Amino acid sequence: MIGDMQTAALVGRDGSVDWMCLPHFDSPACFAALLGDEQNGNWWIRPTGGERTATRRRYRHDTLILESEWDTPDGTVRLIDFMPPRGGHPHLVRIVEGVTGTVRMSTAIRLRFDYGNVVPWIHRVDSEVVAVAGPDSVWLSGPVPLEGHNFMHDADFTVTAGQRVPFVLSWHPSHAEESDHLDAEKALAQTERFWRDWVSRCTYQGRYRDAVVRSLITLKALTYRPTGGIVAAPTTSLPEDIGGVRNWDYRYCWLRDATITLEALIRSGYTDEAHSWREWLVRAVAGEPQHIQIMYGVRGERRLAEWEADWLPGYAESRPVRIGNAAVGQYQLDVYGEVMEVLYLAQKSGMSAGEHVWGLQRSLVNYLEWCWSEPDEGLWEVRGPRQHFVHSKVMAWVAADRAVRMIEEYGKEGPLERWKALRDTIHAEVCEYGYDAERNTFTQYYGSHELDASLLLIPEVGFLPYDDPRVVGTIEAIREDLMVDGFVLRYRTDRADAADKLPGDEGAFLACSFWLANALLSIGREKEARELFERLLALRNDVGLLAEEYDPRIGRQVGNFPQAFSHFPLVTTALNLSHHDGHRRSEPDSD
């Protein structure tokens, strides 16, 4: 992934940009080959003939600048891809650099607007190729003349050692004047300086620093800079089950990510980003508490209607390709706890907030008093019947508990005794109906025999301590039942009373595996925790990125990519392991 903190592009090992939405994360893609083929739009640059896949790739140190290198019989060539942090319109810059010898190169670009559905009208303005359709115009400039044929533009050229050939693609509204020309080399220097300055603020210096910094850069790149909202992923419909229907649009901001987002940012030294995320959340959920949603657009939009792009065959024939997300209309009780927890953590971290924020919190808890006992769709947005999910009830408890703490610790005004009683009532009900005493484990929902990895968060939010036998029993049960080939499933999808009624299966959810590593560490099983964490690090691709899931059946990552919900727990688990290291070193040596 490369990006400018308003949108992103995915670059393949073969030097092809196969996915890019312009001008924003949730805009229609102009390169959509990722979900179809090259006729749906892509742009490749690579050596002519021979091996298409780059010999090696890396991000330039502490940046989001991607460097791909090919070793050929005639020499070595490097492709530098990046998107400068945006000042006006978006730009994608690709610089071909000769390293040794003289290498013959080829490039071809197929622009297709509206997710690969619209072939634009293409013409030239001086030396630039201009593509226009509807509201979009894309301008491509460079020193190599491109020839048009078969609804594409291509060219062959050579690059010698020390030579650099820049290409710049820019977007602006089709009705607007041509955007300013970008100096590729100057933009490269500015982009490198931006990312290195940003990384220098990271306070983490532990043994996993490289993985943490790469995750933090990825998360920064998934942030919509104008508002502070963070998208779950820059892609839609990358399948959780190859060839199946579990394909969702993740280019939106989920409240389920709220707490771990704030925690990871604050603990890593990024208080400005944490503040921007808190402010995005407050604006997004403003309004009547009964209308709070589980997700919003990057600018706080509420209407994210789901439809299918039926002209796209899908990644590896995985249909349908969905645009928008119908889960936006689901009822999820846990979001009240997420919002209350984030605002409590922000207060605890010294982030000031106006009295209107406490007013929002009060209205949420007042509403929760009469809605918490209803069933919901749960954290995982199951598309089966509503249930009394244990995690949802625990997060309702979190909402009441944080309201009580705001009054007791920060002097806020509110009905303290009433909310204490609410907290106690929810706690008692969960322990009675959500716990299987015979098996010594909490269950996915009331009356179910199934487990759910979200139960690992019970001690994390303070509902019960880690040394409570019921918590230890739940951790053990999840480890035994949901762990497959060393990684953790969200829940079982292949049993009669599974809440998930969709066909097909899915891989191990990477966030859940990080949760288990953290839980094992917290109950004193550091060796197992570290082994699991390092197995998870080993799943990252060649440039350190994680998707949503890992499918052990086929030995590969699956789901939308890269996934914020995988990288945030990577950061927090690494911090916890390093904190444990530091605590152990500070203890006096035993006799």
Side-chain angles (χ1 to χ4, degrees):
M1 179 182 71
I2 56 175
D4 64 0
M5 291 160 290
Q6 293 193 44
T7 192
L10 294 188
V11 186
R13 288 185 174 95
D14 59 354
S16 180
V17 179
D18 290 336
W19 181 258
M20 183 165 68
C21 299
L22 290 176
H24 304 124
F25 289 112
D26 54 355
S27 300
C30 66
F31 297 135
L34 186 68
L35 300 178
D37 59 29
E38 60 187 18
Q39 296 305 320
N40 300 118
N42 71 339
W43 178 18
W44 54 261
I45 303 175
R46 54 177 173 257
T48 303
E51 180 61 45
R52 292 174 57 173
T53 302
T55 308
R56 57 193 160 270
R57 297 195 303 173
R58 61 180 175 270
Y59 282 115
R60 190 171 288 190
H61 182 64
D62 285 354
T63 75
L64 199 65
I65 299 167
L66 179 67
E67 297 183 334
S68 306
E69 292 181 351
W70 286 262
D71 294 333
T72 78
D74 299 318
T76 297
V77 65
R78 178 181 298 130
L79 176 61
I80 304 167
D81 288 318
F82 65 98
M83 297 184 73
R86 194 181 304 185
H89 298 306
H91 295 86
L92 167 61
V93 182
R94 316 194 75 185
I95 301 174
V96 182
E97 178 183 19
V99 180
T100 64
T102 298
V103 182
R104 287 180 53 79
M105 300 293 294
S106 297
T107 185
I109 184 168
R110 297 172 180 84
L111 283 157
R112 303 289 187 268
F113 296 131
D114 192 30
Y115 302 102
N117 190 41
V118 175
V119 179
W121 172 54
I122 296 181
H123 63 288
R124 294 181 186 275
V125 175
D126 298 326
S127 62
E128 293 183 276
V129 174
V130 182
V132 177
D136 300 297
S137 71
V138 166
W139 296 62
L140 177 62
S141 63
V144 176
L146 280 78
E147 296 296 327
H149 58 93
N150 297 328
F151 302 103
M152 61 177 277
H153 279 69
D154 61 6
D156 294 327
F157 60 100
T158 59
V159 61
T160 60
Q163 182 183 8
R164 291 160 76 98
V165 180
F167 296 89
V168 178
L169 181 149
S170 60
W171 176 98
H172 62 80
S174 58
H175 64 271
E177 296 292 331
E178 178 185 355
S179 55
D180 294 335
H181 290 90
L182 187 78
D183 183 309
E185 295 293 347
K186 186 179 294 185
L188 176 61
Q190 292 171 341
T191 302
E192 183 169 8
R193 185 164 56 250
F194 169 86
W195 284 110
R196 289 189 173 168
D197 288 349
W198 187 82
V199 168
S200 70
R201 292 164 46 200
C202 178
T203 56
Y204 174 73
Q205 299 296 331
R207 71 164 83 175
Y208 303 113
R209 187 181 185 278
D210 286 349
V212 167
V213 165
R214 179 50 52 201
S215 290
L216 288 168
I217 290 173
T218 302
L219 296 165
K220 176 68 170 176
L222 294 175
T223 302
Y224 185 66
R225 197 175 184 182
T227 66
I230 302 175
V231 297
T235 56
T236 179
S237 300
L238 290 183
E240 299 172 12
D241 183 24
I242 300 293
V245 301
R246 296 171 179 265
N247 318 316
W248 318 109
D249 193 344
Y250 272 24
R251 298 171 298 156
Y252 308 113
C253 309
W254 264 257
L255 294 192
R256 72 176 183 191
D257 301 359
T259 300
I260 195 169
T261 299
L262 196 79
E263 180 188 0
L265 292 172
I266 290 173
R267 292 181 63 189
S268 303
Y270 291 101
T271 53
D272 288 346
E273 286 76 8
H275 182 269
S276 294
W277 170 247
R278 194 276 304 269
E279 290 301 289
W280 172 88
L281 183 143
V282 169
R283 293 192 302 271
V285 304
E288 296 178 299
Q290 64 268 31
H291 294 149
I292 192 171
Q293 297 182 178
I294 68 167
M295 71 178 85
Y296 296 86
V298 291
R299 293 161 292 271
E301 300 95 330
R302 292 173 176 256
R303 296 186 183 274
L304 310 176
E306 183 178 303
W307 55 278
E308 297 178 6
D310 56 11
W311 59 88
L312 288 170
Y315 182 93
E317 300 296 317
S318 305
R319 293 183 178 90
V321 170
R322 293 184 171 94
I323 309 300
N325 200 311
V328 70
Q330 287 191 348
Y331 171 56
Q332 288 184 20
L333 187 61
D334 62 284
V335 296
Y336 296 93
E338 289 288 357
V339 172
M340 291 297 294
E341 173 75 325
V342 162
L343 297 178
Y344 171 74
L345 285 177
Q347 179 80 45
K348 193 175 180 180
S349 301
M351 292 185 198
S352 61
E355 203 51 38
H356 70 285
V357 175
W358 175 240
L360 168 67
Q361 293 174 271
R362 285 186 57 146
S363 68
L364 291 179
V365 181
N366 286 336
Y367 177 70
L368 190 72
E369 285 185 274
W370 68 269
C371 77
W372 74 268
S373 58
E374 297 296 318
D376 73 338
E377 274 94 1
L379 172 71
W380 305 125
E381 300 149 27
V382 296
R383 298 201 176 187
R386 291 181 176 180
Q387 304 285 354
H388 291 282
F389 287 102
V390 171
H391 173 264
S392 296
K393 304 301 186 188
V394 168
M395 293 307 294
W397 175 89
V398 168
D401 178 74
R402 292 346 181 231
V404 168
R405 293 190 190 190
M406 291 292 288
I407 295 171
E408 292 182 333
E409 297 172 18
Y410 298 104
K412 301 295 184 181
E413 292 188 4
L416 179 61
E417 295 307 318
R418 199 174 85 213
W419 287 349
K420 278 185 174 181
L422 172 65
R423 180 179 65 177
D424 293 345
T425 300
I426 298 172
H427 197 282
E429 182 184 287
V430 170
C431 291
E432 181 175 357
Y433 297 109
Y435 173 70
D436 184 337
E438 185 176 335
R439 296 161 60 205
N440 188 30
T441 181
F442 285 93
T443 59
Q444 186 179 40
Y445 55 88
Y446 292 176
S448 171
H449 294 288
E450 297 300 322
L451 300 179
D452 191 306
S454 64
L455 301 170
L456 294 167
L457 301 176
I458 286 175
E460 187 70 17
V461 299
F463 184 86
L464 288 171
Y466 272 105
D467 60 1
D468 188 291
R470 293 167 292 183
V471 168
V472 176
T474 301
I475 295 170
E476 291 285 2
I478 288 172
R479 182 176 169 277
E480 290 299 318
D481 189 49
L482 297 186
M483 207 165 192
V484 177
D485 293 333
F487 304 102
V488 182
L489 304 174
R490 291 190 292 183
Y491 45 74
R492 291 284 182 176
T493 60
D494 55 353
R495 295 176 182 164
D497 67 342
D500 185 343
K501 303 304 180 185
L502 285 171
D505 211 337
E506 64 179 22
F509 209 77
L510 296 178
C512 300
S513 300
F514 284 114
W515 294 346
L516 179 59
N518 189 62
L520 291 169
L521 179 68
S522 298
I523 62 173
R525 291 160 64 169
E526 180 193 354
K527 184 173 183 292
E528 287 181 66
R530 198 173 297 278
E531 287 174 351
L532 174 54
F533 180 73
E534 292 179 355
R535 278 202 307 277
L536 288 162
L537 291 187
L539 297 182
R540 295 173 300 156
N541 76 347
D542 58 326
V543 291
L545 302 181
L546 287 170
E548 181 182 28
E549 301 177 13
Y550 175 77
D551 192 335
R553 300 168 300 178
I554 54 178
R556 58 162 295 173
Q557 296 190 50
V558 293
N560 283 302
F561 171 89
Q563 175 70 237
F565 204 41
S566 298
H567 283 281
F568 275 123
L570 184 158
V571 172
T572 55
T573 306
L575 265 58
N576 291 341
L577 286 164
S578 295
H579 177 76
H580 189 81
D581 286 343
H583 178 72
R584 187 173 53 199
R585 284 195 296 271
S586 68
E587 292 177 349
D589 293 336
S590 58
D591 293 337

